[in-house]
Amino acid sequence: MDERILIVEDDAETAAAVRAVVEGMGCSVDHCDTLDAGIAAATSTPYKVIVLDRMLPGGDGVEAMARIRAGGSTALILILSALGRAANRVEGLEKGADDYLPKPFEPDELRARVRALLRRGTMQVLDNDLLVFGDLEIRLKARTVHVKRTHVAVSPKEFELITYFARNAGQVVTRMQLLENVWNLHFDPGTNVVDVHVGRLRRKLEEAGSLAIQTARGEGYVFAPLPGSPG
């Protein structure tokens, strides 16, 4: 994985812990310890992900996100903050953060969240019709799926499934979410209908060379075409 990540964090110990996690993922890392330096770096270098503290010398990282966007950055932003109450998290997400992780954090959780953002960053939306994840392509109007230019024949329900997965790429999708958004059921019917349909879709994708659908044990599924991997 050769991705560039910016850490904006004034606490040296925390910054070192974050750096250890992301460098362990094979990513390149830059670090700034003030808000102004972070904004300058974010708007001059094409980072994939910015891990942004809130209470920084120079101001609040959340309030700076608009300046970062206005400066042309397309990086996905993960707020990492001691301000971890629900209201703080909601504020951060509503003001444009792509994820929000309270301190103190577990390295494994930070690693998983950064990896999820990198996966999300692999998706391209072209002409509001084509969703592209490496060699996996989904055409919304034609309702077709291709892996490595090979057509994958999916049923109407399987197409709804993969579209929902794609729009939530990199995130855990629970069976209840699938029941509500794909089957329009707001209760659990107590059947294995979700697992059966996901299993069929996953087999079709795997036969075409894509391992995009993975099981999140005890939680649901993750649609995660890995950068540089098949599909």
Side-chain angles (χ1 to χ4, degrees), residues 70-111:
S73 174
T74 59
L76 297 173
I77 297 177
L78 167 62
I79 297 292
L80 181 63
S81 174
L83 299 176
R85 300 176 65 179
N88 302 132
R89 299 196 301 272
V90 169
E91 178 190 21
L93 293 168
E94 288 189 341
K95 289 189 174 180
D98 297 285
D99 199 359
Y100 197 115
L101 179 62
K103 297 176 183 174
F105 64 89
E106 291 293 332
D108 285 347
E109 184 174 6
L110 174 62
R111 185 179 301 107

Side-chain angles (χ1 to χ4, degrees), residues 5-216:
I5 293 179
L6 174 64
I7 301 168
V8 187
E9 170 63 64
D10 63 321
D11 180 78
E13 184 174 341
T14 300
V18 176
R19 175 186 286 273
V21 168
V22 294
E23 285 186 339
M25 298 168 62
C27 299
S28 302
V29 177
D30 292 328
H31 171 226
C32 299
D33 59 4
T34 68
L35 187 59
D36 287 344
I39 293 171
T43 55
S44 62
T45 304
Y47 294 102
K48 293 289 186 181
V49 173
I50 300 173
V51 181
L52 180 62
D53 190 15
R54 291 197 61 166
M55 296 178 288
L56 288 159
D60 186 338
V62 162
E63 301 300 332
M65 289 190 295
R67 294 170 60 190
I68 292 173
R69 297 300 187 207
S73 174
T74 59
L76 297 173
I77 297 177
L78 167 62
I79 297 292
L80 181 63
S81 174
L83 299 176
R85 300 176 65 179
N88 302 132
R89 299 196 301 272
V90 169
E91 178 190 21
L93 293 168
E94 288 189 341
K95 289 189 174 180
D98 297 285
D99 199 359
Y100 197 115
L101 179 62
K103 297 176 183 174
F105 64 89
E106 291 293 332
D108 285 347
E109 184 174 6
L110 174 62
R111 185 179 301 107
R113 289 175 182 254
V114 171
R115 185 175 291 126
L117 291 176
L118 291 172
R119 287 168 177 157
R120 193 190 310 176
T122 65
M123 183 176 76
Q124 304 173 50
V125 180
L126 305 175
D127 301 328
N128 293 319
D129 177 41
L130 179 61
L131 305 181
V132 181
F133 300 82
D135 291 330
L136 191 157
E137 298 180 357
I138 303 168
R139 291 191 179 277
L140 301 178
K141 294 177 182 175
R143 296 177 67 83
T144 58
V145 178
H146 288 79
V147 174
K148 299 178 181 177
R149 305 288 184 186
T150 299
H151 177 250
V152 180
V154 296
S155 70
K157 189 59 70 180
E158 290 163 357
F159 186 81
E160 292 181 49
L161 267 175
I162 196 171
T163 302
Y164 185 77
F165 275 133
R167 295 196 183 283
N168 294 277
Q171 303 179 49
V172 173
V173 173
T174 67
R175 289 172 177 77
M176 198 63 224
Q177 284 178 280
L178 293 172
L179 285 170
E180 290 179 351
N181 292 281
V182 178
W183 277 267
N184 197 29
L185 292 176
H186 298 281
F187 63 95
D188 187 344
T191 69
N192 63 348
V193 61
V194 170
D195 295 322
V196 169
H197 281 78
V198 172
R200 287 175 182 163
L201 174 60
R202 177 152 59 182
R203 281 195 296 276
K204 291 180 179 180
L205 294 175
E206 289 179 353
E207 287 171 2
S210 173
L211 305 177
I213 299 177
Q214 302 168 18
T215 299

